[in-house]
Amino acid sequence: VILLSSLFISAKRWKTVAVFLREALGFFKHNQSKDSVYFQDGVRRIDFVLSYVDDKDGDKKAERRRAFEANLENSGLMLETEDKLESDDRKTYYLKIHAPWEVLATYADVLKIKVPFKPSDIPKGRDAPLQWLTKPFRLPPEIMKPDPDYFTAPFDKSKADFFLIKDKETFFPPSTRNRIVYYILTRCPYYKEDRKEKDKTGIKRLLSNGTYTSAYPLHDCRYWKKAKETQCESERYHLYKHWARFLCFYKEQPLNLIRKYYGEKIGIYFAWLGFYTEMLFFAAVMGVICFVYGLLSYDDNITSKEICNPNIGGKIVMCPLCDKKCTYWKLNSTCLSSWVTHLFDNEGTVFFAIFMGIWVTLFLEFWKRRQARLEYEWDLVDFEEEQQQLQIRPEFELKCTTKRRNRITQELEPYLPFTSKCARFCVSGAIVLFWTCLIVACVMGVIAYRLAVYAAFASLMKDSPTNKIQLVGSLINPQLATSVTASCINFVIILILNFLYEYVAIWITDMEIPKTHLEYENKLTTKMFMFQFVNYYSSCFYVAFFKGKFVGYPGNYTYMFGSQLRNEECAPGGCLIELTTQLVIVMAGKQLVGNIQEALLPLLRNWWISRKGRSHPEGRYSRWEQDHDLQNFSQFGLFYEYLEMVIQFGFITLFVASFPLAPLLALFNNILEVRVDAWKFTTQFRRPVAAKARNIGAWKDILNVVAILSVVTNAFIMAFTSDMIPRLVYLYAYHPGEKATMEGYINNSLSVYLNLYITVCDRNNMIAITFEFHMNCLRYRDYRYPPGHERQYTHTMQFWHILAAKMAFIIIMEHVVFVVKFFVAWLIPDVPSEVKARIKRERYLVQEYLHTYEVEKLKLQLSQSFCVTAETTSLLPSSPNKHEVLSECI
């Protein structure tokens, strides 16, 4: 006041006053806090932000921006631009967008967004008994239930007074507001009114051609402290405090708050991930019990004792495992691997495989019930029926110029001709087939590597055949060295092919031009999973079902495609330990690489952003700049999260019989995964545009297929990869003594190869070798008649008995598990009876309240028309009866 009064006294011209006031306003604007989600007036909320920079092609882009922004304003949106001089880098412009009530109400009506119209009067369920035991794992009620329960109905602009609208500015939550604005942005053209260029439409094309550099809604505050505005919810802060920190790993997830802040699509992902992790706990416990049983029965493992016994395994000389460079080896050289195999290949593994077949069914059935409850609580029961046509992709509308009349709506809509659709499908299928064959070729290359490198490792052995154990170096034998290195190489190939195929899958899905967002996601999901299935599991399928099955016998070995490389053999204890090695390396390696990519690299980026934010003066680092510096959450972000978990689900179900501890590794990984994903969403990513989804989409069908396939694979693993069936056949049918024991099993399971001289089993290089001890025969793993028998080197009757037992075991196990699966699926309803009753009750009440509202509205209109009629008729000579006027109006 003193400055103004002195200025008025000393000023000679009013221009001086104007300059002073302008500078004063600039001073206050400069010192106003920019860490806000509101326009400069502090009233209108920022619903979306677009950023752009000036560059060499500035004129064309500026013209597009002017046309686009003019069309946005014509659609009712309000815009405010932050000059580049106000930004931190002095070159980025920020366009802030606000949707007023009229725009929100109009598009809420178009999108049929459900909003509350009456507080719910349905009584809540009873508290579970012993609820105090779960208190340490629970979050505060205001975090778990941020909003009270309401009855909801699709918004109707003409019936706005029917809904509970206390404040128009806060009636639609920020997630709904940014969803509506994004819907407008994706369909707003950027051509002038006098020119109709259909392809010049939508923010996606403007982002792809560089007109705008980014488009995103704003977070409501910084994640480490609340917002200064009292009207701001600070939900991001609460999510970080109660959900995203790793110290909260034992707490439940605030699913309702996640859904409110990020939308139903992201909320349903975290609900599924949390439920999957909870169910893994039971599978992990059973796996540990199975492993402990293997440890406790360690001393009762007669088979391993015979292998390690120098008087039994030490006197059995085996045929070389490869030609030329491989030499003879003693059976007791596999002593260590036989003990390790027993930990995973024992009687408990059978029951665990059966348990996992039932566990998969329980997991899927209970998830259906949990999903049904979420659909009701989140107003998603009728979502697909109402929203399917509203989710047409803008790309489909632009690329499909042909139109036809919809039989239901009788409106013209774009469509893709059948011939074009078939041609695109054939090209897409051919590309997918080519990449699948490429993966199979890589697997064959790894197999060739195993065959060739085993001989190289064998040539490094310096010990003579009479020594007890043959080693590479001092720790591992050639088989283990080959298996480990081949698994590592296979894992590297998997990562490289994954990186390349991601771009191919997106390109061919775009080429097919799916009509809706749901169809696009389902097609991309199917292609990616087919590829990942072959990529990750092909090596495991080879070890489990092909290795050691087509070997032949000494003097008549089979070779790989007619080459010099002899087919691989299994160890005397079977190929199960190699399958375990392959599974552990690929599964654990994938989880390790994934966690490094998701946690370590973003952590460094987060440190830089936090350092930058804290180095700025308070309030000078604007909210839109803070979010601009974060990573963009792409449309495929959630897709990769699902894919990672479903691939893990395949590992712990398809091959779990070979490694009972796989669910335990998955459990530890998922406990970390939930918090890492939460931390990324809260601190690393820009706020995603809210999207609706009532379920996990095509992933549900994929999980069902994997669940059915897992029963078959585990049955075959126990029958053909494990050594359990031959042991049981020997125990109950071929043991020579009166008491059934496993003594003599090793000698019984090895066939004899006899010659005047003990020769290397090589078709090209026959070398005569005589041993110092009395031994005139070699042994090999098979059930064949010995030399001198009338059917020498053909399969014995015991081989056929074992094969019949294996087939019988597969049939019995599959039928038992499938019968239990289908019985459990029939016994457990997909939708809880309580939820069904609540849905019916809510639909009934919605109809009743709407009917009451319409009747009251009609009464009000009639009363108003009656008053007008009464005033008019009072001026006439004769006035009719009031009841007659009312009935006439009716």
Side-chain angles (χ1 to χ4, degrees):
V1 173
I2 295 174
L3 288 173
L4 285 173
S5 60
S6 61
L7 182 63
F8 273 109
I9 294 172
S10 60
K12 295 181 179 180
R13 296 182 181 179
W14 287 100
K15 185 178 180 181
T16 308
V17 179
V19 171
F20 176 81
L21 290 175
R22 185 167 63 249
E23 292 178 353
L25 290 173
F27 173 80
F28 288 120
K29 178 182 176 182
H30 180 76
N31 286 275
Q32 182 184 5
S33 175
K34 289 188 175 183
D35 191 11
S36 172
V37 293
Y38 292 92
F39 276 16
Q40 292 180 6
D41 57 15
V43 176
R44 292 173 294 173
R45 185 175 186 121
I46 303 173
D47 296 313
F48 228 88
V49 173
L50 308 180
S51 67
Y52 60 92
V53 295
D54 291 330
D55 52 19
K56 297 179 181 179
D57 194 19
D59 294 338
K60 293 182 179 179
K61 294 179 180 178
E63 183 180 355
R64 294 183 198 136
R65 284 193 293 267
R66 283 193 294 269
F68 185 68
E69 292 168 15
N71 290 328
L72 288 179
E73 290 180 330
N74 292 337
S75 65
L77 297 178
M78 297 181 179
L79 310 179
E80 184 178 87
T81 304
E82 285 287 327
D83 191 82
K84 65 180 181 180
L85 299 178
E86 299 290 332
S87 63
D88 185 61
D89 58 5
R90 302 292 179 180
K91 62 181 181 180
T92 305
Y93 294 88
Y94 294 95
L95 177 66
K96 298 175 286 187
I97 303 174
H98 168 76
W101 167 256
E102 285 298 321
V103 174
L104 294 173
T106 300
Y107 283 92
D109 193 353
V110 171
L111 296 173
K112 301 299 180 186
I113 295 174
K114 288 189 174 182
V115 293
F117 67 88
K118 186 181 184 301
S120 175
D121 59 1
I122 297 179
K124 296 182 179 180
R126 298 178 181 177
D127 293 337
L130 302 177
Q131 191 174 10
W132 57 272
L133 290 175
T134 61
K135 189 175 181 180
F137 307 101
R138 297 193 175 277
L139 293 175
E142 64 273 11
I143 300 299
M144 291 301 298
K145 281 283 187 181
D147 293 324
D149 292 331
Y150 292 102
F151 290 130
T152 59
F155 186 79
D156 189 340
K157 188 178 178 181
S158 63
K159 302 175 183 176
D161 55 337
F162 172 70
F163 302 98
L164 294 177
I165 304 177
K166 297 179 181 179
D167 184 359
K168 291 183 178 181
E169 293 298 323
T170 59
F171 179 68
F172 294 106
S175 57
T176 303
R177 296 174 68 100
N178 69 57
R179 179 185 164 208
I180 291 174
V181 173
Y182 186 71
Y183 182 86
I184 298 172
L185 291 175
T186 54
R187 286 158 174 81
C188 182
Y190 55 91
Y191 53 78
K192 295 181 179 179
E193 294 182 359
D194 56 339
R195 292 186 297 176
K196 298 291 185 182
E197 301 172 81
K198 293 290 181 82
D199 61 331
K200 294 186 175 182
T201 302
I203 187 64
K204 290 184 179 180
R205 289 186 63 85
L206 291 172
L207 290 172
S208 63
N209 60 32
T211 304
Y212 291 99
T213 56
S214 60
Y216 53 92
L218 291 180
H219 284 292
D220 58 2
C221 66
R222 301 190 183 193
Y223 67 85
W224 64 83
K225 66 178 181 179
K226 294 183 178 180
K228 291 183 178 180
E229 295 93 346
T230 56
Q231 67 271 31
C232 195
E233 302 85 358
S234 297
E235 292 172 347
R236 185 190 187 192
Y237 166 78
H238 293 301
L239 286 171
Y240 177 75
K241 180 180 178 181
H242 298 283
W243 177 53
R245 296 187 302 168
F246 183 73
L247 294 178
C248 301
F249 73 92
Y250 62 95
K251 296 278 190 179
E252 61 183 338
Q253 296 188 87
L255 294 178
N256 289 308
L257 186 58
I258 297 170
R259 171 247 181 174
K260 182 183 177 184
Y261 191 73
Y262 291 113
E264 287 80 3
K265 191 171 184 178
I266 293 177
I268 206 78
Y269 163 73
F270 280 104
W272 177 83
L273 179 58
F275 183 80
Y276 171 48
T277 305
E278 292 171 7
M279 292 295 292
L280 273 177
F281 173 78
F282 302 101
V285 169
M286 291 301 298
V288 171
I289 292 174
C290 180
F291 182 75
V292 171
Y293 173 80
L295 287 174
L296 296 178
S297 60
Y298 203 69
D299 295 332
D300 300 329
N301 183 14
I302 298 177
T303 303
S304 296
K305 288 182 179 180
E306 289 188 348
I307 292 176
C308 298
N309 192 331
N311 296 322
I312 301 177
K315 292 185 178 181
I316 296 178
V317 180
M318 306 291 293
C319 276
L321 294 176
C322 68
D323 296 341
K324 294 184 179 180
K325 296 184 179 180
C326 294
T327 183
Y328 307 103
W329 55 284
K330 285 188 172 184
L331 183 61
N332 63 352
S333 65
T334 62
C335 176
L336 180 61
S337 63
S338 68
W339 283 111
V340 175
T341 301
H342 175 73
L343 297 177
F344 307 108
D345 187 10
N346 53 67
E347 294 79 5
T349 308
V350 182
F351 298 100
F352 181 67
I354 296 174
F355 168 81
M356 286 302 295
I358 300 172
W359 174 88
V360 170
T361 304
L362 292 174
F363 164 66
L364 295 176
E365 292 302 319
F366 282 127
W367 166 246
K368 290 178 184 177
R369 293 171 62 86
R370 181 66 185 278
Q371 181 177 273
R373 192 176 297 275
L374 289 175
E375 286 178 12
Y376 166 72
E377 294 177 355
W378 292 355
D379 294 323
L380 298 171
V381 176
D382 302 318
F383 167 68
E384 282 190 353
E385 290 76 4
E386 297 174 353
Q387 298 294 322
Q388 188 66 29
Q389 296 302 320
L390 297 174
Q391 293 183 351
I392 295 178
R393 299 172 63 238
E395 295 84 352
F396 183 83
E397 296 175 342
L398 295 175
K399 294 180 181 179
C400 298
T401 56
T402 308
K403 291 190 176 184
R404 67 178 178 183
R405 193 172 300 278
N406 189 303
R407 295 180 181 180
I408 299 174
T409 62
Q410 293 299 311
E411 295 180 357
L412 290 176
E413 64 178 15
Y415 86 104
L416 189 65
F418 180 75
T419 54
S420 177
K421 187 181 296 185
C422 288
R424 294 172 186 272
F425 178 79
C426 292
V427 173
S428 173
I431 295 174
V432 172
L433 182 61
F434 167 77
W435 278 86
T436 304
C437 294
L438 181 62
I439 297 172
V440 174
C442 291
V443 172
M444 299 302 295
V446 173
I447 295 172
Y449 165 84
R450 298 171 70 106
L451 298 176
V453 171
Y454 180 85
F457 278 127
S459 66
L460 297 177
M461 296 187 300
K462 299 179 181 179
D463 298 332
S464 67
T466 58
N467 289 339
K468 183 178 181 182
I469 301 177
Q470 296 173 335
L471 297 174
V472 176
S474 60
L475 295 176
I476 57 177
N477 57 32
Q479 279 185 319
L480 184 58
T482 303
S483 178
V484 171
T485 55
S487 299
C488 294
I489 292 173
N490 182 67
F491 178 66
V492 173
I493 294 174
I494 286 172
L495 295 180
I496 295 173
L497 291 178
N498 276 349
F499 176 77
L500 297 175
Y501 186 74
E502 286 179 6
Y503 298 98
V504 176
I506 294 172
W507 178 75
I508 58 180
T509 307
D510 289 337
M511 182 191 63
E512 293 178 4
I513 320 178
K515 182 177 181 180
T516 64
H517 293 287
L518 182 63
E519 185 181 352
Y520 182 90
E521 291 180 2
N522 290 344
K523 286 188 174 183
L524 180 62
T525 298
T526 304
K527 292 179 181 64
M528 283 295 293
F529 181 76
M530 287 174 57
F531 174 81
Q532 300 277 18
F533 184 91
V534 179
N535 197 18
Y536 276 104
Y537 303 142
S538 55
S539 58
C540 293
F541 272 101
Y542 163 73
V543 175
F545 306 124
F546 296 98
K547 182 180 178 182
K549 306 301 185 295
F550 310 99
V551 178
Y553 59 92
N556 190 27
Y557 282 117
T558 56
Y559 292 80
M560 182 179 178
F561 303 128
S563 66
Q564 300 293 323
L565 300 175
R566 202 173 87 194
N567 287 348
E568 284 187 284
E569 295 183 44
C570 291
C575 282
L576 192 72
I577 190 62
E578 290 194 45
L579 178 59
T580 304
T581 304
Q582 181 77 24
L583 181 64
V584 170
I585 290 177
V586 176
M587 178 181 173
K590 181 182 184 303
Q591 294 181 167
L592 181 63
V593 171
N595 288 330
I596 291 175
Q597 290 178 341
E598 291 186 5
L600 185 59
L601 298 179
L603 190 64
L604 298 174
R605 179 184 177 88
N606 179 63
W607 170 81
W608 180 83
I609 293 175
S610 299
R611 183 172 176 269
K612 180 179 178 182
R614 290 186 169 96
S615 64
H616 280 69
E618 185 68 23
R620 294 297 305 137
Y621 192 28
S622 65
R623 165 61 34 213
W624 43 91
E625 287 183 277
Q626 294 176 41
D627 288 7
H628 182 266
D629 290 338
L630 298 176
Q631 298 180 59
N632 180 45
F633 184 76
S634 68
Q635 60 174 328
F636 305 113
L638 212 56
F639 168 81
Y640 292 122
E641 301 294 343
Y642 273 118
L643 182 62
E644 179 185 1
M645 289 295 102
V646 173
I647 293 296
Q648 182 201 84
F649 180 80
F651 278 123
I652 68 166
T653 53
L654 295 174
F655 309 103
V656 73
S658 66
F659 187 48
L661 295 180
L664 183 65
L665 293 182
L667 176 63
F668 289 148
N669 176 79
N670 287 11
I671 291 174
L672 180 64
E673 182 75 20
V674 171
R675 304 303 160 177
V676 169
D677 286 349
W679 176 76
K680 288 193 306 180
F681 273 92
T682 311
T683 67
Q684 299 301 300
F685 288 136
R686 297 170 186 164
R687 186 173 184 172
V689 178
K692 281 185 173 288
R694 64 177 300 181
N695 50 43
I696 60 176
W699 299 110
K700 180 180 66 174
D701 298 327
I702 291 174
L703 291 175
N704 285 322
V705 172
V706 172
I708 294 174
L709 184 61
S710 67
V711 179
V712 180
T713 56
N714 283 302
F716 273 85
I717 287 173
M718 296 307 303
F720 288 98
T721 309
S722 168
D723 206 34
M724 185 198 67
I725 300 298
R727 291 200 303 262
L728 292 177
V729 171
Y730 174 81
L731 180 65
Y732 294 107
Y734 285 90
H735 186 269
E738 297 180 359
K739 185 179 179 181
T741 65
M742 291 300 297
E743 293 181 359
Y745 169 73
I746 290 299
N747 187 62
N748 175 267
S749 64
L750 299 176
S751 297
V752 177
Y753 178 73
L754 183 64
N755 203 342
L756 295 176
Y757 296 98
I758 300 177
T759 59
V760 177
C761 309
D762 181 8
R763 62 179 178 177
N764 297 323
N765 191 15
M766 307 297 288
I767 303 174
I769 300 177
T770 304
F771 289 99
E772 297 177 356
F773 49 87
H774 179 70
M775 177 67 66
N776 60 354
C777 64
L778 293 175
R779 309 298 294 273
Y780 60 97
R781 179 182 168 83
D782 208 341
Y783 293 92
R784 295 179 182 272
Y785 288 108
H789 193 277
E790 60 181 2
R791 300 176 61 189
Q792 66 177 1
Y793 301 128
T794 61
H795 286 119
T796 64
M797 187 58 64
Q798 184 176 354
F799 170 84
W800 300 109
H801 287 168
I802 291 174
L803 181 62
K806 289 179 177 180
M807 300 306 297
F809 173 82
I810 291 173
I811 294 172
I812 293 172
M813 178 178 172
E814 286 183 354
H815 280 69
V816 168
V817 175
F818 279 131
V819 167
V820 175
K821 279 170 65 70
F822 292 130
F823 176 74
V824 170
W826 171 81
L827 188 65
I828 302 174
D830 293 346
V831 182
S833 57
E834 175 194 0
V835 174
K836 286 182 179 179
R838 286 174 174 264
I839 291 173
K840 292 178 180 178
R841 169 69 175 166
E842 183 165 334
R843 285 176 175 171
Y844 167 75
L845 290 176
V846 168
Q847 292 178 354
E848 184 180 3
Y849 288 131
L850 279 173
H851 174 72
T852 304
Y853 169 80
E854 293 292 348
V855 170
E856 293 295 331
K857 189 175 182 179
L858 179 60
K859 288 181 179 179
L860 181 60
Q861 292 175 353
L862 291 176
S863 63
Q864 291 175 352
S865 63
F866 171 75
C867 294
V868 173
T869 305
E871 291 177 0
T872 305
T873 55
S874 63
L875 302 175
L876 298 176
S878 59
S879 175
N881 191 299
K882 292 183 178 180
H883 295 288
E884 294 178 359
V885 174
L886 183 60
S887 62
E888 183 72 20
C889 293
I890 293 175

